């Protein structure tokens, strides 16, 4: 992997972040006059003017844009009139809960999805393989909230084992994590399986066997590391569905995280909060993709060797 | 509408006149970070004429620019410089609309017949498609014409309803030929038309081309890396190396007395049929240099056994003798009395 | 066509139990039939409120009655009628969304392939941009900024999938424009319309149809998810996700309110996924 490749990926990521911030700015301005939105249609014109003066809304649009960029850099994202405090404070307060949920889900996904995929690939055509794939299709085509509803019916209504909503104890975590893990693990198992199958058919596997390695040695030394490379590309998709699934799951189980805040802010049209969360998610996606690209370039020399002259 | 074969020495306007044709591509790679992209000169000052009724061959190694030259003639690639004239009409820079009537006169036969045919269309539809595009004839006539043509390229009516993947390689190339010929073109450009075919089929297609040429009064621009077939089929031949014509002349002369060291090497590599005739095999040293960075002076000098200091400094011009046998080499021995 | 492929890397094939496919087709056919003919036989208007008959259970439960086969909701509205209308709305929205996405994406892909240069660069940036952000977040932001309306919502469902169609179309069109039959047809004098319409599109149609089978159930999932959050289809209209969302508050007292539409969603998306998988194996040229 050379500098050009890294530089190219970095500049691409920076450009995307700038594009995202710009889009948010444009959309904010397109969506209406913030003064009227905050103070109401029947507000005193003088009050409106004063508001515009205060927030720089009477400046030329490019100055407003620069100001917006500057504010973003300083971490000043505006005031949430609904929460009645700085929007960023409200967002940061919810962040740990979401990270907790996503972290545990991610861990469970890896622990279930990858072994299941490997096992299915190594025992192709067995009934376990078929079952894994059928569950994977079902899990993938099951919207989060539908699965969540079924789980609530089972664990809370019928067996009365777990609380239906809220947070605080490990019991609260079980159903949200389970809901999200099923869909994610389904995708992961499937990808792992096809990546493994691809690798198992490669000539170097036959060579490894021919030179006297036992089957499990060949699998551990040659198949697994090579199958891991395509799996890295799935991680971006994985984080994306985790974020989107998190929004629905948090709302369903009244989990006090970012996703639920986003949904309620959208419903209340609390734009300051919405814009922060959207930018936060977008930037973490860009970061994820950057890390994936770099990791991929590092692991797979064919990708990383973007040479200057050819 | 069909020409009889015109004798090549007619001084009238040639069917196709190519003068000083240049074509360069921007390569993807940059020499320096953020620096300019390097230019690849695929065709670098090519000139030749093709008379009506003649079969003109262009030979050379892959990457020498022979296919690009054909594409430039047909406006499938843009020329940077130079002129292509068809019956005196300038072709470079014409719009697509102005090209349309000319497409009837100039047709192209592809190297890979499977790729050149739409996999989802029946043979009949593909063969009559040129007629539809140019709005010629009615349905019944189109079908009749297609059927006649398929017969003359050696296929049966039963092939009309087939899809390309149901045909053999040779049959596909016959279909491609039929599609090219249904417009009754004057010039047929064949770009390696047989190299994708089995050897046993190659001869059939070459013979078919020869027969069609006779029957329909076709002019051929035949591009190939296979010298023995060019010798068999063509009246005149141009040899290209790194985007330039290095030797050009009547086929029998060029093959019997090649003057350029490169041509000599190519010809010496043709497998001989008659055994027992001892022959010196001239082998070329090294690979052809990259067209992105051609050598100074004569482009062939790094691989040439006869290269002198002059060859490294200056680039030789293509000079012709009285028999229209031209060569671009300082060391080529052209008999004095034949100098033009 | 050929059966050579069974030996290889595409082992999903083993799941093509014809029985499952048949069941999927049967279920989807039932849904379409219900959606199309629903208005003819619905027992109640889906909006008519009957406060004396609130939260009645379905007919097979202890207190169920034949007057409301699937029970009633918290306002005494007939669940069966609402379910049928919801199926109508959800399928229709997903269908229109998929069509908009396919049309727009294919056109953009063709434009990028035809003009190349900066048009292509711009399209690629837009594709990467959309692909890098989960669409649900994008949709939520749009709804927040522009407030919700049916038109906007359907448009959003269309925008959801365009980038995949565009990517596929662009890639395939580029490869066929640069070599092969498209070049051949061009040298015959064909206009771009003819090249794209008669040659390139029919040849890439399979890939686009395969993508549609993926895109359609995903659009259903997106629509129902957003409606579940209360940010999609708005009352008084109803959709499957909407019903689950309102039913969620009554899970402890009237479980059928959320469970029945949830079941319909699950079976429908599952049927689509199974069927789509099967169609993909039949059509996808890369799996040959």
């Amino acid at each position: 992997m050379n500098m050009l490749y890294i530089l190219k990926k970095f500049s691409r990521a920076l450009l995307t972040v700038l594009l995202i911030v710009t889009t948010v700015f444009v959309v904010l301005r397109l969506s209406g006059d913030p003064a009227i939105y905050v103070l109401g249609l029947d507000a005193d014109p003088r009050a409106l003017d004063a508001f515009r003066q205060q927030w720089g809304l009477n400046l030329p649009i490019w100055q407003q844009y620069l100001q917006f960029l500057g504010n973003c850099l300083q971490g000043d994202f505006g005031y949430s009139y609904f929460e009645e405090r700085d929007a960023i404070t409200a967002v940061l307060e919810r962040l740990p809960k979401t990270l907790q949920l996503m972290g545990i889900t991610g861990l469970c996904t890896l622990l279930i999805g990858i072994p299941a995929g490997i096992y299915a690939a190594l025992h192709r055509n067995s009934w376990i393989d078929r079952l894994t794939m059928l569950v994977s299709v079902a899990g993938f085509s099951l919207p989060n909230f539908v699965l969540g509803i079924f789980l609530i019916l089972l664990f809370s209504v019928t067996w009365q084992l777990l609380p239906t909503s809220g947070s605080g104890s490990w019991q609260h975590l079980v159903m949200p994590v389970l809901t999200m893990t099923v869909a994610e693990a389904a995708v992961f198992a499937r990808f792992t399986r096809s990546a493994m199958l691809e690798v198992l058919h490669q000539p170097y596997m036959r060579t490894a066997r021919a030179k006297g390695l036992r089957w499990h040695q060949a699998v551990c030394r040659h198949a697994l590391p090579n199958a891991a490379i395509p799996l890295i590309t799935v991680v971006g998709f994985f984080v994306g569905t985790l974020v989107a699934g998190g929004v629905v799951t948090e709302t369903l189980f009244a989990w006090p995280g970012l996703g639920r805040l986003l949904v309620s802010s959208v419903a209340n049209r609390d734009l300051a909060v919405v814009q922060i969360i959207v930018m936060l998610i977008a930037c973490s996606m860009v970061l994820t993709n950057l890390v994936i690209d770099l990791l991929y370039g590092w692991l797979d020399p064919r990708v990383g060797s973007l040479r200057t002259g050819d | 509408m069909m020409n009889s074969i015109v004798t090549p020495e007619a001084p009238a306007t040639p069917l196709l006149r190519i003068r000083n044709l240049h074509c360069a591509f921007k390569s993807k790679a940059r020499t320096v970070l953020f620096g300019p992209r390097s230019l690849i000169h695929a065709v670098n000052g090519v000139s030749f004429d093709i008379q009506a009724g003649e079969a003109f061959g262009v030979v050379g190694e892959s990457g020498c620019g022979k296919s690009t030259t054909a594409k430039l003639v047909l406006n499938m690639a843009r020329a940077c410089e130079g002129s292509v004239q068809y019956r005196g009409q300038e072709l470079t820079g014409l719009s697509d609309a102005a090209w349309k009537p000319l497409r009837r006169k100039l047709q192209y036969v592809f190297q890979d017949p499977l790729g050149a045919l739409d996999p989802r269309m029946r043979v009949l539809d593909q063969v009559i498609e040129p007629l539809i595009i140019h709005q010629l004839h009615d349905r019944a006539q189109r079908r009749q014409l297609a059927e006649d043509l398929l017969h003359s390229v050696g296929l049966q009516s039963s092939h009309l309803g087939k899809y390309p993947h149901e045909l053999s390689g040779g049959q596909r190339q016959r279909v491609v030929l039929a599609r090219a010929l249904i417009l009754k073109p004057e010039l047929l450009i064949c770009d390696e038309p047989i190299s994708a075919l089995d050897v046993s089929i190659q001869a059939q297609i070459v013979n078919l081309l020869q027969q069609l040429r006779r029957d329909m009064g076709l002019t051929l621009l035949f591009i190939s890396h296979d010298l023995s077939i060019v010798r068999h089929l063509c009246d005149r031949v141009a040899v290209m190396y790194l985007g330039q014509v290095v030797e050009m002349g009547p086929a029998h002369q060029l093959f019997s007395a090649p003057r350029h060291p490169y041509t000599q090497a190519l010809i010496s590599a043709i497998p001989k049929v008659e055994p027992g005739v001892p022959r010196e095999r001239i082998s070329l040293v090294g690979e052809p240099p990259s067209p992105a960075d051609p050598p100074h002076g004569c482009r062939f000098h790094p691989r040439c056994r006869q290269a002198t200091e002059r060859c490294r400094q200056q680039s030789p011009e293509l000079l012709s003798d009285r028999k229209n046998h031209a060569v671009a080499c300082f060391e080529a021995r052209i008999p004095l009395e034949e100098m033009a | 066509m050929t059966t050579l492929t069974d030996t290889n890397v595409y082992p999903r094939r083993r799941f093509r139990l014809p029985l499952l496919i048949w069941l999927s087709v049967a279920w989807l056919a039932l849904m379409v039939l219900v959606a199309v003919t629903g208005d003819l036989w619905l027992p109640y208007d889906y909006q008519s409120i009957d406060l004396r008959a609130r939260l009645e259970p379905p007919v097979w439960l202890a207190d169920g009655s034949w007057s409301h086969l699937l029970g009633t909701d918290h306002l005494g509205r007939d669940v069966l009628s609402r379910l049928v209308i919801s199926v109508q709305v959800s399928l229709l929205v997903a269908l229109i969304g998929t069509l908009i996405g396919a049309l727009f994406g294919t056109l953009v892909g063709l434009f990028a392939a035809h003009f190349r240069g900066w048009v292509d660069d711009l399209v690629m940036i837009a594709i990467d941009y959309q692909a890098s952000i989960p669409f649900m977040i994008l949709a939520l932001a749009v709804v927040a900024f522009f407030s919700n309306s049916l038109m906007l919502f359907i448009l959003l469902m269309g925008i959801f999938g365009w980038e995949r169609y565009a990517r596929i179309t662009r890639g395939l069109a580029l490869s066929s424009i640069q070599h092969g039959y498209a070049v051949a047809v061009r040298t015959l004098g064909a206009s771009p319309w003819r090249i794209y319409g008669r040659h390139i599109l029919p040849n890439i149609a399979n890939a686009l149809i395969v993508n549609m089978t993926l895109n359609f159930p995903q659009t259903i999932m997106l629509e129902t998810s957003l409606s579940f959050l209360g940010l999609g289809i708005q009352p008084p209209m109803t959709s499957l996700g909407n019903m689950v969302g309102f039913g969620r508050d009554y899970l402890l007292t009237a479980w059928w309110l959320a469970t029945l539409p949830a079941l319909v969603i699950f079976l429908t998306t599952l049927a689509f996924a199974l069927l789509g998988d099967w169609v993909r194996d039949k059509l996808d040229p890369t799996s040959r």
Side-chain angles (χ1 to χ4, degrees), chain B residues 164-192:
Chain B
H165 67 264
E166 296 171 316
L167 302 175
S168 70
Q171 289 171 331
R172 285 177 204 141
Q173 196 59 292
R174 288 168 198 265
V175 172
V176 172
L177 267 174
R179 181 176 65 181
L181 294 174
I182 201 160
L183 287 170
K184 303 200 165 75
E186 293 183 315
L187 176 65
L188 191 65
I189 300 179
C190 304
D191 186 1
E192 305 261 14

Short mmCIF file of all heavy atoms in Angstrom, two decimals, chain B residues 164-192:
data_model
loop_
_atom_site.label_atom_id
_atom_site.label_comp_id
_atom_site.label_asym_id
_atom_site.label_seq_id
_atom_site.Cartn_x
_atom_site.Cartn_y
_atom_site.Cartn_z
N PRO B 164 -27.02 -16.65 -31.68
CA PRO B 164 -25.57 -16.79 -31.89
C PRO B 164 -24.93 -17.94 -31.11
O PRO B 164 -24.06 -18.63 -31.64
CB PRO B 164 -25.03 -15.44 -31.40
CG PRO B 164 -26.13 -14.49 -31.60
CD PRO B 164 -27.40 -15.26 -31.41
N HIS B 165 -25.38 -18.16 -29.87
CA HIS B 165 -24.69 -19.19 -29.10
C HIS B 165 -25.00 -20.59 -29.61
O HIS B 165 -24.36 -21.56 -29.21
CB HIS B 165 -25.04 -19.08 -27.62
CG HIS B 165 -26.46 -19.39 -27.29
ND1 HIS B 165 -27.43 -18.41 -27.16
CD2 HIS B 165 -27.10 -20.56 -27.09
CE1 HIS B 165 -28.58 -18.99 -26.90
NE2 HIS B 165 -28.42 -20.28 -26.84
N GLU B 166 -25.98 -20.69 -30.51
CA GLU B 166 -26.29 -22.01 -31.07
C GLU B 166 -25.45 -22.32 -32.31
O GLU B 166 -25.57 -23.39 -32.89
CB GLU B 166 -27.77 -22.08 -31.45
CG GLU B 166 -28.68 -21.95 -30.25
CD GLU B 166 -30.14 -21.80 -30.64
OE1 GLU B 166 -30.45 -21.03 -31.56
OE2 GLU B 166 -30.97 -22.46 -30.02
N LEU B 167 -24.61 -21.35 -32.73
CA LEU B 167 -23.81 -21.54 -33.94
C LEU B 167 -22.36 -21.83 -33.57
O LEU B 167 -21.92 -21.52 -32.47
CB LEU B 167 -23.86 -20.28 -34.81
CG LEU B 167 -25.24 -19.81 -35.25
CD1 LEU B 167 -25.12 -18.50 -35.99
CD2 LEU B 167 -25.90 -20.84 -36.14
N SER B 168 -21.63 -22.37 -34.53
CA SER B 168 -20.20 -22.58 -34.31
C SER B 168 -19.46 -21.28 -34.62
O SER B 168 -20.02 -20.35 -35.20
CB SER B 168 -19.69 -23.69 -35.21
OG SER B 168 -19.70 -23.24 -36.55
N GLY B 169 -18.18 -21.23 -34.25
CA GLY B 169 -17.40 -20.01 -34.47
C GLY B 169 -17.37 -19.58 -35.93
O GLY B 169 -17.57 -18.41 -36.26
N GLY B 170 -17.15 -20.53 -36.82
CA GLY B 170 -17.09 -20.21 -38.23
C GLY B 170 -18.43 -19.70 -38.75
O GLY B 170 -18.51 -18.74 -39.51
N GLN B 171 -19.52 -20.34 -38.28
CA GLN B 171 -20.86 -19.92 -38.70
C GLN B 171 -21.16 -18.50 -38.23
O GLN B 171 -21.75 -17.70 -38.95
CB GLN B 171 -21.91 -20.88 -38.16
CG GLN B 171 -21.87 -22.24 -38.84
CD GLN B 171 -22.77 -23.24 -38.14
OE1 GLN B 171 -22.99 -23.16 -36.94
NE2 GLN B 171 -23.28 -24.20 -38.90
N ARG B 172 -20.71 -18.21 -37.01
CA ARG B 172 -20.95 -16.85 -36.49
C ARG B 172 -20.24 -15.83 -37.36
O ARG B 172 -20.79 -14.77 -37.68
CB ARG B 172 -20.40 -16.74 -35.07
CG ARG B 172 -21.27 -17.41 -34.05
CD ARG B 172 -20.62 -17.31 -32.68
NE ARG B 172 -21.10 -18.37 -31.83
CZ ARG B 172 -20.36 -19.04 -30.97
NH1 ARG B 172 -19.09 -18.75 -30.82
NH2 ARG B 172 -20.89 -19.98 -30.24
N GLN B 173 -18.98 -16.14 -37.73
CA GLN B 173 -18.25 -15.16 -38.54
C GLN B 173 -18.92 -15.01 -39.90
O GLN B 173 -18.94 -13.92 -40.46
CB GLN B 173 -16.79 -15.59 -38.68
CG GLN B 173 -15.85 -14.49 -39.17
CD GLN B 173 -15.84 -13.27 -38.28
OE1 GLN B 173 -16.84 -12.54 -38.18
NE2 GLN B 173 -14.73 -13.02 -37.60
N ARG B 174 -19.55 -16.07 -40.39
CA ARG B 174 -20.29 -15.96 -41.64
C ARG B 174 -21.50 -15.04 -41.47
O ARG B 174 -21.84 -14.26 -42.35
CB ARG B 174 -20.76 -17.33 -42.12
CG ARG B 174 -19.61 -18.18 -42.64
CD ARG B 174 -20.04 -19.62 -42.85
NE ARG B 174 -18.89 -20.51 -42.93
CZ ARG B 174 -18.35 -20.88 -44.09
NH1 ARG B 174 -18.85 -20.48 -45.22
NH2 ARG B 174 -17.29 -21.67 -44.09
N VAL B 175 -22.14 -15.14 -40.30
CA VAL B 175 -23.28 -14.26 -40.03
C VAL B 175 -22.81 -12.81 -39.97
O VAL B 175 -23.43 -11.90 -40.55
CB VAL B 175 -23.97 -14.64 -38.70
CG1 VAL B 175 -25.03 -13.61 -38.34
CG2 VAL B 175 -24.59 -16.02 -38.79
N VAL B 176 -21.68 -12.58 -39.29
CA VAL B 176 -21.13 -11.22 -39.20
C VAL B 176 -20.83 -10.69 -40.59
O VAL B 176 -21.14 -9.55 -40.93
CB VAL B 176 -19.87 -11.20 -38.32
CG1 VAL B 176 -19.20 -9.84 -38.38
CG2 VAL B 176 -20.21 -11.54 -36.88
N LEU B 177 -20.26 -11.55 -41.42
CA LEU B 177 -19.97 -11.16 -42.80
C LEU B 177 -21.26 -10.81 -43.54
O LEU B 177 -21.34 -9.80 -44.23
CB LEU B 177 -19.27 -12.30 -43.53
CG LEU B 177 -17.75 -12.27 -43.50
CD1 LEU B 177 -17.19 -13.55 -44.12
CD2 LEU B 177 -17.24 -11.06 -44.26
N ALA B 178 -22.27 -11.65 -43.38
CA ALA B 178 -23.54 -11.41 -44.07
C ALA B 178 -24.12 -10.07 -43.63
O ALA B 178 -24.63 -9.30 -44.44
CB ALA B 178 -24.52 -12.55 -43.76
N ARG B 179 -24.04 -9.79 -42.32
CA ARG B 179 -24.59 -8.53 -41.82
C ARG B 179 -23.83 -7.34 -42.41
O ARG B 179 -24.40 -6.31 -42.73
CB ARG B 179 -24.51 -8.49 -40.30
CG ARG B 179 -25.07 -7.23 -39.71
CD ARG B 179 -25.06 -7.25 -38.22
NE ARG B 179 -23.71 -7.30 -37.69
CZ ARG B 179 -23.41 -7.34 -36.39
NH1 ARG B 179 -24.38 -7.35 -35.50
NH2 ARG B 179 -22.17 -7.37 -35.99
N ALA B 180 -22.52 -7.52 -42.56
CA ALA B 180 -21.73 -6.42 -43.11
C ALA B 180 -22.01 -6.24 -44.60
O ALA B 180 -21.97 -5.13 -45.12
CB ALA B 180 -20.24 -6.69 -42.88
N LEU B 181 -22.32 -7.35 -45.29
CA LEU B 181 -22.44 -7.28 -46.75
C LEU B 181 -23.83 -6.93 -47.23
O LEU B 181 -24.02 -6.58 -48.40
CB LEU B 181 -22.02 -8.62 -47.36
CG LEU B 181 -20.54 -8.96 -47.16
CD1 LEU B 181 -20.25 -10.35 -47.67
CD2 LEU B 181 -19.67 -7.92 -47.86
N ILE B 182 -24.83 -7.00 -46.35
CA ILE B 182 -26.21 -6.83 -46.81
C ILE B 182 -26.44 -5.41 -47.30
O ILE B 182 -27.35 -5.15 -48.09
CB ILE B 182 -27.21 -7.23 -45.70
CG1 ILE B 182 -28.56 -7.55 -46.34
CG2 ILE B 182 -27.36 -6.13 -44.66
CD1 ILE B 182 -29.45 -8.37 -45.48
N LEU B 183 -25.61 -4.46 -46.84
CA LEU B 183 -25.76 -3.08 -47.31
C LEU B 183 -25.02 -2.86 -48.63
O LEU B 183 -24.97 -1.75 -49.13
CB LEU B 183 -25.23 -2.12 -46.26
CG LEU B 183 -26.10 -1.96 -45.02
CD1 LEU B 183 -25.37 -1.17 -43.95
CD2 LEU B 183 -27.41 -1.28 -45.37
N LYS B 184 -24.42 -3.93 -49.15
CA LYS B 184 -23.62 -3.84 -50.38
C LYS B 184 -22.56 -2.76 -50.26
O LYS B 184 -22.54 -1.78 -51.02
CB LYS B 184 -24.51 -3.58 -51.59
CG LYS B 184 -25.58 -4.64 -51.75
CD LYS B 184 -26.12 -4.65 -53.16
CE LYS B 184 -26.90 -5.90 -53.44
NZ LYS B 184 -28.23 -5.94 -52.82
N PRO B 185 -21.66 -2.90 -49.30
CA PRO B 185 -20.63 -1.88 -49.09
C PRO B 185 -19.58 -1.94 -50.18
O PRO B 185 -19.48 -2.93 -50.91
CB PRO B 185 -20.02 -2.29 -47.74
CG PRO B 185 -20.17 -3.77 -47.71
CD PRO B 185 -21.46 -4.07 -48.41
N GLU B 186 -18.80 -0.85 -50.30
CA GLU B 186 -17.70 -0.85 -51.25
C GLU B 186 -16.41 -1.29 -50.58
O GLU B 186 -15.59 -1.96 -51.18
CB GLU B 186 -17.53 0.56 -51.84
CG GLU B 186 -18.71 0.95 -52.69
CD GLU B 186 -18.50 2.30 -53.33
OE1 GLU B 186 -18.06 3.22 -52.60
OE2 GLU B 186 -18.79 2.43 -54.52
N LEU B 187 -16.26 -0.84 -49.32
CA LEU B 187 -15.03 -1.17 -48.60
C LEU B 187 -15.38 -2.00 -47.38
O LEU B 187 -16.23 -1.63 -46.57
CB LEU B 187 -14.31 0.11 -48.17
CG LEU B 187 -13.06 -0.07 -47.33
CD1 LEU B 187 -11.97 -0.77 -48.12
CD2 LEU B 187 -12.55 1.25 -46.80
N LEU B 188 -14.72 -3.14 -47.27
CA LEU B 188 -14.93 -3.99 -46.11
C LEU B 188 -13.64 -4.01 -45.30
O LEU B 188 -12.59 -4.37 -45.82
CB LEU B 188 -15.30 -5.41 -46.57
CG LEU B 188 -15.79 -6.36 -45.48
CD1 LEU B 188 -17.12 -5.86 -44.92
CD2 LEU B 188 -15.94 -7.76 -46.03
N ILE B 189 -13.74 -3.56 -44.04
CA ILE B 189 -12.55 -3.56 -43.19
C ILE B 189 -12.62 -4.77 -42.28
O ILE B 189 -13.57 -4.93 -41.52
CB ILE B 189 -12.50 -2.26 -42.37
CG1 ILE B 189 -12.45 -1.07 -43.31
CG2 ILE B 189 -11.31 -2.28 -41.43
CD1 ILE B 189 -12.42 0.25 -42.61
N CYS B 190 -11.65 -5.66 -42.43
CA CYS B 190 -11.66 -6.88 -41.62
C CYS B 190 -10.55 -6.77 -40.58
O CYS B 190 -9.36 -6.74 -40.93
CB CYS B 190 -11.42 -8.10 -42.48
SG CYS B 190 -12.60 -8.26 -43.81
N ASP B 191 -10.93 -6.71 -39.33
CA ASP B 191 -9.95 -6.56 -38.26
C ASP B 191 -9.70 -7.93 -37.64
O ASP B 191 -10.49 -8.40 -36.84
CB ASP B 191 -10.48 -5.57 -37.22
CG ASP B 191 -9.45 -5.25 -36.16
OD1 ASP B 191 -8.34 -5.79 -36.25
OD2 ASP B 191 -9.76 -4.47 -35.25
N GLU B 192 -8.63 -8.56 -38.01
CA GLU B 192 -8.28 -9.90 -37.51
C GLU B 192 -9.51 -10.82 -37.58
O GLU B 192 -9.90 -11.40 -36.58
CB GLU B 192 -7.81 -9.82 -36.06
CG GLU B 192 -6.67 -8.87 -35.82
CD GLU B 192 -5.33 -9.58 -35.76
OE1 GLU B 192 -5.28 -10.75 -36.17
OE2 GLU B 192 -4.35 -8.95 -35.34
#
